[in-house]
Amino acid sequence: MAIRDDTQYGVTPNGFVRMRLPEIRRNLFDRLDAKLGVSVSRKPNSVIGVLVGLIAEESDRQWELAEYDYYARSPVSADEGSIDNTIIYSGVMRKQAESTYLYLICYGNNNMVLPSNCQVKGTDDERYNILSASTISLNNAVNVSLRIENVKAGELYSFLLNSTTRASYVAQSGDTSLNVYLKLLEQIKESDWSGSVDNNGNLVLSQKDRRYSGRGVPTENMKVVEVGSPVIFVAENTGPLEPEIGSIKEINTIYDGWKRCCNESSAYVGRNNETVTELRQRYAAAVYAKSVSMKESIKAGLLALQDVDNVTIYENRSDDIVDGLKPHSFLAIVHGGDDMEIAQTILDKAPIGIDTNGDIELEVKDSEGTAEKVRFSRPVEVPIWVKVIIHEYKEETLPGDLVNTVKNVVVSTGQKLEMGADVISQRFVGPVYSNVDGIAYLDISISKDGSNYVDKSISVERGEVATFSTERVTVAMEI
């Protein structure tokens, strides 16, 4: 490339400085004059002018390519075509599209094997496939239906739930099956299970947590009528599908012994391919994923989990209890994601010998198969209501789908707030202006209860996260 000695082009302390076409032409003519000792014609239609013009155009293309290559090497400025190759040098990769998965409670006969081709369908016609072959059994149960055919006086009726909850009763003369059921149910009131008697006269035991399997062991004189086991099913299509609880009940692949199914807990929502903007926002935290035993590594590992959208880590390095944290320990507060995956990630990333804190305690296994207790917490969700009043700018055209567009912008902006970050009403103004034409000015107010609105800010405390929904956003237009 033609570069004059008295100018600075290319990579400089101030970034990349590109030589433009007029500068290239002038530089070539100046050098040609110096070499020949006479001034040549600089008219574009002269022979020399045409030759210099052709060379300058080729040089301009090279400068353009060099400039593109320079900016393509930075995650901050790389475009869609180059950012993947750029970030991989720091061990970060773009998140691919993921499918929603959920724990579907499959009801059927005890020890019924569900093969790997099982499929169900929701009310939205979305199909879900079983992750792998699974078994409906008492060893993998959140629901157990038992029946006593004939009560015998002096006989012991008993069951064990999750190895921690036991109920037993010796039948007395004149007892009916209902009497026995009620005596047993009285003994599990304070446990993780609840119970009832259905219309068919069966004792139905239900674990309160409908995602992770428990275990039921009844005595032989109590017939197992039906078992409900949590089984992972995955949506056929990728993207942020969020089925309503109780909306997946149709079985597409019918097998004897598989009676019914229902999604009784929230799904772990999938995602579309990560956009360049989303990747840039995540990059700063993601580069710490390769670090070992440090706060940023734990946070990066948790943020990489499906459906996790917000993580805050608090640590106590001292020898004393500080803010409720044990000495030399940390607290991970995680919004979204699967409990077991979160616990396993914390165990994998946490430093050796450093304790964990939190309201949720789970037992997971380390690399050697040893069971370890891991604790973490969930943030307190603070629902936010937003009221937007739009004043029209007559020289531009408002979009036809104005209300939904503004609602989606507000929710998208709110969801980017970090845990513990205050909600400031004026922070929504810029994104709305940037995405919606035809607005002269905005009046935005926010509320924590949907009744009392303020136009300034709402305080969000440590361990809290502001949540937004289009259902809590109202949009009006001032004529």
Side-chain angles (χ1 to χ4, degrees):
M1 297 181 186
I3 304 178
R4 286 171 45 174
D5 295 335
D6 60 344
T7 59
Q8 282 195 339
Y9 293 100
V11 180
T12 73
N14 297 321
F16 189 88
V17 180
R18 173 183 168 186
M19 181 178 278
R20 303 291 174 175
L21 182 60
E23 296 169 318
I24 296 172
R25 288 174 54 85
R26 185 171 60 253
N27 182 35
L28 288 171
F29 276 120
D30 289 347
R31 294 175 64 186
L32 190 59
D33 289 348
K35 291 290 185 181
L36 296 177
V38 295
S39 295
V40 299
S41 174
R42 302 197 178 196
K43 295 181 179 180
N45 58 351
S46 67
V47 174
I48 293 179
V50 171
L51 291 174
V52 168
L54 291 173
I55 297 172
E57 288 176 2
E58 290 302 316
S59 181
D60 182 57
R61 292 190 183 96
Q62 293 175 25
W63 273 106
E64 183 179 5
L65 179 61
E67 182 182 43
Y68 175 84
D69 181 69
Y70 175 83
Y71 287 111
R73 294 175 184 273
S74 169
V76 176
S77 53
D79 62 12
E80 182 73 43
S82 59
I83 192 167
D84 291 292
N85 293 331
T86 299
I87 62 173
I88 200 169
Y89 290 112
S90 56
V92 179
M93 297 184 68
R94 190 195 299 234
K95 288 183 178 180
Q96 301 301 307
E98 297 174 336
S99 297
T100 292
Y101 74 92
L102 49 86
Y103 287 90
L104 189 75
I105 309 302
C106 296
Y107 296 88
N109 297 336
N110 188 31
N111 294 323
M112 163 66 192
V113 176
L114 300 175
S116 57
N117 66 337
C118 288
Q119 186 183 83
V120 297
K121 186 171 71 172
T123 54
D124 58 356
D125 289 332
E126 181 66 32
R127 292 186 292 269
Y128 297 81
N129 298 312
I130 194 170
L131 180 63
S132 60
S134 302
T135 303
I136 300 174
S137 77
L138 291 171
N139 289 320
N140 176 36
V142 295
N143 221 81
V144 180
S145 294
L146 304 173
R147 184 178 182 84
I148 301 175
E149 297 292 354
N150 296 299
V151 178
K152 295 181 180 179
E155 193 161 291
L156 175 67
Y157 297 92
S158 175
F159 56 76
L160 178 66
L161 302 173
N162 294 1
S163 302
T164 57
T165 302
R166 182 185 299 273
S168 60
Y169 175 70
V170 177
Q172 306 298 311
S173 177
D175 277 343
T176 63
S177 58
L178 180 59
N179 296 138
V180 177
Y181 296 158
L182 295 177
K183 292 293 185 182
L184 294 172
L185 290 178
E186 286 179 1
Q187 302 174 47
I188 65 169
K189 285 182 178 179
E190 304 300 325
S191 72
D192 294 331
W193 289 68
S194 61
S196 63
V197 180
D198 66 16
N199 295 331
N200 297 317
N202 298 322
L203 174 62
V204 181
L205 303 173
S206 300
Q207 184 176 259
K208 294 173 184 176
D209 189 335
R210 309 301 284 175
R211 298 166 299 170
Y212 307 121
S213 61
R215 186 166 66 97
V217 184
T219 51
E220 190 176 1
N221 52 9
M222 302 183 76
K223 179 183 177 182
V224 179
V225 178
E226 183 182 78
V227 177
S229 296
V231 179
I232 296 178
F233 278 72
V234 183
E236 276 196 344
N237 298 311
T238 58
L241 301 171
E242 193 167 1
E244 293 183 1
I245 293 177
S247 65
I248 304 175
K249 294 183 178 180
E250 185 175 342
I251 299 174
N252 285 349
T253 51
I254 299 174
Y255 290 97
D256 288 339
W258 186 13
K259 301 177 182 179
R260 56 195 176 94
C261 66
C262 185
N263 59 317
E264 301 178 13
S265 60
S266 299
Y268 298 95
V269 182
R271 58 169 296 124
N272 296 317
N273 284 319
E274 190 172 34
T275 65
V276 172
T277 300
E278 291 170 337
L279 177 56
R280 288 197 184 111
Q281 292 171 345
R282 183 176 62 89
Y283 179 78
V287 293
Y288 291 109
K290 298 298 181 183
S291 59
V292 179
S293 300
M294 57 190 301
K295 177 179 176 180
E296 291 82 2
S297 175
I298 299 171
K299 183 174 182 178
L302 292 171
L303 285 172
L305 298 178
Q306 182 169 340
D307 205 29
V308 172
D309 55 26
N310 217 322
V311 177
T312 296
I313 308 287
Y314 297 103
E315 56 184 339
N316 177 17
R317 298 172 178 266
S318 71
D319 296 327
D320 303 312
I321 296 177
V322 179
D323 293 333
L325 303 184
K326 292 171 283 188
H328 303 287
S329 67
F330 69 91
L331 166 64
I333 305 178
V334 187
H335 188 248
D338 180 89
D339 286 355
M340 292 301 292
E341 288 187 351
I342 292 169
Q344 188 66 59
T345 300
I346 291 174
L347 180 64
D348 294 342
K349 294 288 186 179
I352 296 175
I354 300 300
D355 207 350
T356 56
N357 298 272
D359 302 325
I360 299 172
E361 180 181 282
L362 294 174
E363 197 171 82
V364 291
K365 293 183 178 179
D366 62 16
S367 58
E368 297 178 349
T370 303
E372 300 283 353
K373 290 183 178 179
V374 175
R375 299 173 184 84
F376 63 95
S377 289
R378 294 293 195 179
V380 176
E381 295 187 348
V382 180
I384 300 296
W385 280 258
V386 182
K387 186 182 294 183
V388 183
I389 299 177
I390 294 174
H391 298 263
E392 184 180 5
Y393 181 46
K394 302 294 184 180
E395 296 184 12
E396 294 179 353
T397 303
L398 288 167
D401 195 17
L402 172 68
V403 173
N404 287 332
T405 301
V406 173
K407 283 186 175 184
N408 290 332
V409 171
V410 169
V411 171
S412 176
T413 303
Q415 288 175 341
K416 294 175 183 177
L417 291 175
E418 292 291 329
M419 197 180 303
D422 293 343
V423 182
I424 303 172
S425 63
Q426 292 303 302
R427 295 286 175 87
F428 296 92
V429 173
V432 174
Y433 270 121
S434 299
N435 290 276
V436 184
D437 293 329
I439 298 177
Y441 64 94
L442 298 168
D443 292 322
I444 297 183
S445 53
I446 51 181
S447 170
K448 292 176 70 172
D449 56 15
S451 299
N452 302 305
Y453 284 83
V454 296
D455 58 3
K456 293 183 180 179
S457 65
I458 290 177
S459 177
V460 178
E461 303 299 329
R462 165 177 168 167
E464 294 182 340
V465 61
T467 60
F468 295 80
S469 168
T470 54
E471 297 175 355
R472 297 194 297 272
V473 180
T474 57
V475 180
M477 189 167 67
E478 189 79 18
I479 303 298

